[in-house]
Amino acid sequence: MVAEETIVTTAADVGIVLVSALCILCSYRVVKGPTVPDRVVALDAIATNVVALAVLFALKTDRGLFVTVSLVLAIIGFLSTITVAKFVTEGDIIERREEQQ
């Protein structure tokens, strides 16, 4: 039983380190990305990596609260990606109707 907990904790630690390194690499793409879509994809990848970090931390600490936090972060990341993608493609997020006189 103790060996299984040690394996899960070690795997979570390794996963946290790897996902953190991926966040750093994606942040480089956010800063240096040649185009706006590259930056949007990198931000989406960072949001996904933060969700993965929350889940790995939940596995490591054995607290279910972080799973709930990761679900909320995933929803926020999805909505922000959709909003930015709409802004990049259409140039406007909220469409305003012109009033006819």
Side-chain angles (χ1 to χ4, degrees), residues 5 9-10 21 23 30-31 36 45-46 51 57 62-65 71 78 80 88 100:
E5 292 176 5
T9 304
T10 304
C23 281
V30 169
V31 173
V36 174
I46 289 173
V51 170
F57 194 73
D62 201 26
R63 293 187 183 161
L65 174 68
L71 288 174
F78 173 74
S80 65
V88 167
Q100 297 177 358

Side-chain angles (χ1 to χ4, degrees), residues 33-80:
T35 63
V36 174
D38 288 334
R39 291 182 170 125
V40 171
V41 169
L43 283 172
D44 186 45
I46 289 173
T48 304
N49 289 337
V50 168
V51 170
L53 282 172
V55 170
L56 287 169
F57 194 73
L59 281 173
K60 182 180 176 180
T61 60
D62 201 26
R63 293 187 183 161
L65 174 68
F66 293 107
V67 175
T68 306
V69 169
S70 67
L71 288 174
V72 171
L73 287 173
I75 292 169
I76 291 171
F78 173 74
L79 291 176
S80 65

Side-chain angles (χ1 to χ4, degrees), residues 4 41 77 86:
E4 292 173 1
V41 169
K86 184 175 180 183

Side-chain angles (χ1 to χ4, degrees), residues 86-97:
K86 184 175 180 183
F87 178 74
V88 167
T89 58
E90 298 178 12
D92 212 4
I93 296 172
I94 300 173
E95 297 176 10
R96 297 182 186 134
R97 293 188 289 178

